[in-house]
């Protein structure tokens, strides 16, 4: 008598889910390291940056007043911080896509959901933290301009 192997339950494939889980974990790790340990590229001090902004605004105003052409935009060079930002987002998106594909392929649901969650979390953390830093930076800039207005009040 022969045994039929179709009655034996086969373990579910989890290739896409595990790949998404690993990529999502790496994405989250890259994002957290870039925010906690960064910036890795050399940065100017706040005073130098604000001075550069004020000088460029003054030069642009003078060129406009004299009727001269404004210079075109200069390309921003790639730094390690910008590269880490992009790598974190790309890994997060790939992890979310692997998790979604694992759900569509009916792989183990828990691993697929973890992959999807880690990928979405990495992308969301990257964008939310960047937006929060932008808002805080704008608030600090407004406070500095306000304090300079009180200091330079001639009336």
């Amino acid at each position: 008598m022969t045994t039929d192997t179709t009655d034996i339950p086969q373990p579910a494939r989890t290739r896409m889910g595990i790949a998404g889980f690993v990529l999502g974990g790496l994405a989250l790790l890259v994002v957290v390291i870039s925010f906690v340990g960064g910036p890795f590229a050399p940065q100017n001090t706040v005073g130098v940056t604000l001075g550069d902004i004020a000088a460029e605004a003054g030069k642009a105003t003078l060129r406009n007043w004299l009727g001269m052409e404004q210079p075109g935009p200069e390309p921003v060079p790639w730094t390690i911080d910008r590269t880490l930002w992009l790598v974190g987002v790309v890994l997060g998106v790939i992890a979310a896509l692997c998790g979604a594909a694992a759900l569509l392929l009916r792989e183990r649901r828990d691993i697929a959901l973890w992959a999807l969650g880690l990928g979405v979390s990495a992308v969301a953390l990257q964008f939310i933290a960047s937006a929060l830093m932008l808002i805080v930076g704008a608030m600090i800039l407004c406070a500095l301009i306000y304090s300079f207005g009180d200091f330079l009040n001639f009336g």
Side-chain angles (χ1 to χ4, degrees), residues 57-79:
K59 288 178 187 176
T61 304
L62 184 62
R63 280 192 298 267
N64 192 22
W65 186 64
L66 294 175
M68 297 169 56
E69 283 281 323
Q70 297 289 348
E74 297 177 11
V76 179
W78 281 88
T79 62

Side-chain angles (χ1 to χ4, degrees), residues 26-139:
L26 285 174
L28 207 53
L29 186 67
V30 166
V31 169
V32 168
I33 285 175
S34 70
F35 282 118
V36 173
F40 298 108
Q43 303 286 323
N44 288 332
T45 62
V46 175
V48 171
T49 303
L50 289 176
D52 288 345
I53 291 171
E56 283 297 319
K59 288 178 187 176
T61 304
L62 184 62
R63 280 192 298 267
N64 192 22
W65 186 64
L66 294 175
M68 297 169 56
E69 283 281 323
Q70 297 289 348
E74 297 177 11
V76 179
W78 281 88
T79 62
I80 186 68
D81 298 319
R82 190 172 173 193
T83 305
L84 283 175
W85 195 92
L86 183 66
V87 166
V89 170
V90 168
L91 283 177
V93 168
I94 293 173
L97 290 175
C98 284
L103 284 174
L104 290 175
L105 294 174
R106 300 191 187 277
E107 293 184 6
R108 281 189 51 186
R109 187 174 171 86
D110 56 345
I111 295 175
L113 288 175
W114 270 102
L116 190 63
L118 283 173
V120 169
S121 297
V123 173
L125 177 64
Q126 186 77 357
F127 284 111
I128 290 171
S130 297
L132 184 64
M133 285 190 294
L134 185 67
I135 291 169
V136 169
M139 290 174 62

Side-chain angles (χ1 to χ4, degrees), residues 138-153:
M139 290 174 62
I140 290 172
L141 188 61
C142 289
L144 284 172
I145 291 171
Y146 181 76
S147 69
F148 283 145
D150 287 344
F151 178 72
L152 299 175
N153 189 2

